[in-house]
Each structure stands twice: as C-alpha cells, then as structure tokens.
Amino acid sequence: MEVKNNIILALDLMDIIKSFELVESISKYINTIKIGYPLTLAEGLKSVTVFKENFEFNTICDYKVADIPATNEKIADLTFKAGADSIIVHGFVGKDSVAASCDVALEYGKEIFLLTEMSHPGAIQFLKGKGEKIAEMGLELGINNYVAPSTHLDRLSSIRSVLGKDKFIISPGVGTQGGNPNDTLKYADALIIGRSIYNAENPEIAIKEIIKEITV
Ligand code: O7M
C-alpha cells in the first residue's frame, strides 16, 4: 500500500459536508482516509460510498470489529459492500473472530488491518503486552496490515520486531495524543492523524507543517 506523504487522515468529523470540504481542501496531500464510527454513525455507511466515489483514495473503515465470528462477518460484508478497501479489526477477540473478517475480505478481494495495541493511556490497563501475541496470530492468519500505537514507542517497536520489516504498520497517536512523526516512522509505515489536521484553523497549513516535519 502506498500512503502519500505517510499520512492517513482520520476523518472523525460528524458531518458529511464538513468532511467533504476538509478532504477537498487537503486532497493534494493525501491518498488515504480512515472513516470510523463518528462519521458513519452520524451519516450512515453512505459516507464511505460518497468518499470512495468522489476521491480516488484508499478508504480504510475503522470499525474496530470485535465480536463473535458470525457478527464480524456481517459487519465486514456491509463495510466492503459500501466500498471500503479495508477494515480495521480488533485482535484481542481471538483467532476465530479475526479469521471470519479475513474470510469476508478475501471474498471481496479486499484487506483487513489487525489492531494490536492502542494509543490512549488506558491501553496499559488490559491491552499492554498483548500486542506481540496478537501480531503472531495475525502472521498465522496471513494478515499483511497492522495497527500499533505511536504513543508507546517501545510497544510499537516490539510489535514491529515480531512482524518483520515487510508487514505494513499504520500508527495512530501523532500530534494531539503526543506521538512524534519521525520517531513513529522509524517503526511504522504510515501515520494516522486526525485532530491536529481537522481541528486546525487552516487544515492545509497544518498538514503541510506535518509533512515538512517528516524527515525519515
Ligand atoms: O489524531 P487523533 O488523535 O485525532 O486521531 C487518531 C485516530 O486514530 C482516531 O480516529 C482514533 O480513533 C484512532 N486510533 C487511536 O487514536 N488509537 C488507537 O489505538 C487506535 C486508533 C485506530 O485508528 O484504530 C484502528
């Protein structure tokens, strides 16, 4: 996967018109967006279709799928039907649940991203330390794409060691959550960035600043 400028826009606005305007204003700097629950619950799955049809972007749906296999299948099926190129799936639910999402992705010729550990402070309570095992499970399932946190670089680097250099890691937490782009890109292939861009007074200036800061 080629991510332009190593930046994936986390499109967490809750209004499709504002989202559209934002994406238009920075479209020359990005080729990948991540749509999650805030926009989808506010505007429906049509938000995925609208962006897919109007921009030639990779569209990652961040539904952090974390249910029993039968339910995961339904979620993945609806998501790919709406036009997503990939879906983010939680690893902690175990192999059968993750495999169910992988099977649906395969049917559509699409991909999944496996979420290993998370970036927020509360992630240390239950999830911290589980990322390596989740990554190993992903390798057993033949998964190529992963999510790991930029705010816990020791965890990100350890998960990278398990996955090896050829797997693709995207990393949230840069900017508002405190992560640094260059440190993160030592281990990750792309950054997921939301508020530092869409809450900026001028999102175009904000993304240009981030791009300028990236030296790796
Ligand atoms: O830059 P932010 O903090 O405004 O946005 C970060 C985005 O990444 C936002 O969409 C979060 O839901 C998401 N995210 C995390 O912040 N931390 C995680 O551990 C995982 C994700 C994520 O994208 O999971 C797939």
Side-chain angles (χ1 to χ4, degrees), residues 153-166:
L153 281 179
D154 55 330
R155 307 301 307 132
L156 173 61
S157 98
S158 179
I159 290 162
R160 168 58 82 193
S161 306
V162 170
L163 291 172
K165 65 177 175 33
D166 293 335

Side-chain angles (χ1 to χ4, degrees), residues 8-12 22 173-174 176 192-200:
I8 297 168
L9 174 69
L11 194 49
D12 291 331
L22 168 75
V174 165
T176 309
I192 298 170
I193 306 180
R195 287 167 290 178
S196 317
I197 298 171
Y198 66 71
N199 279 346

Side-chain angles (χ1 to χ4, degrees), residues 59-95:
T59 303
I60 303 173
C61 277
D62 179 9
Y63 297 147
K64 295 190 178 64
V65 186
D67 215 309
I68 61 168
T71 307
N72 280 5
E73 267 174 34
K74 290 174 188 154
I75 297 168
D77 189 60
L78 288 165
T79 305
F80 290 125
K81 229 175 234 143
D85 297 298
S86 51
I87 187 168
I88 296 175
V89 172
H90 254 306
F92 73 82
V93 280
K95 198 169 182 177

Side-chain angles (χ1 to χ4, degrees), residues 101-201:
S101 303
C102 290
D103 289 345
V104 178
L106 202 63
E107 279 170 34
Y108 280 87
K110 306 286 185 176
E111 303 208 61
I112 80 156
F113 278 83
L114 187 64
L115 179 48
T116 57
E117 283 187 31
M118 295 188 72
S119 62
H120 60 306
I124 65 169
Q125 197 172 0
F126 300 114
L127 259 189
K128 188 176 178 188
K130 302 289 188 294
E132 290 87 346
K133 287 271 173 224
I134 291 174
E136 281 168 17
M137 177 186 73
L139 292 175
E140 281 167 31
L141 288 168
I143 295 170
N144 290 319
N145 308 302
Y146 295 82
V147 185
S150 72
T151 47
H152 308 283
L153 281 179
D154 55 330
R155 307 301 307 132
L156 173 61
S157 98
S158 179
I159 290 162
R160 168 58 82 193
S161 306
V162 170
L163 291 172
K165 65 177 175 33
D166 293 335
K167 298 300 175 194
F168 199 79
I169 302 181
I170 61 176
S171 188
V174 165
T176 309
Q177 295 182 53
N180 170 283
N182 289 309
D183 292 343
T184 303
L185 287 170
K186 285 182 196 147
Y187 310 107
D189 299 284
L191 313 169
I192 298 170
I193 306 180
R195 287 167 290 178
S196 317
I197 298 171
Y198 66 71
N199 279 346
E201 207 166 305

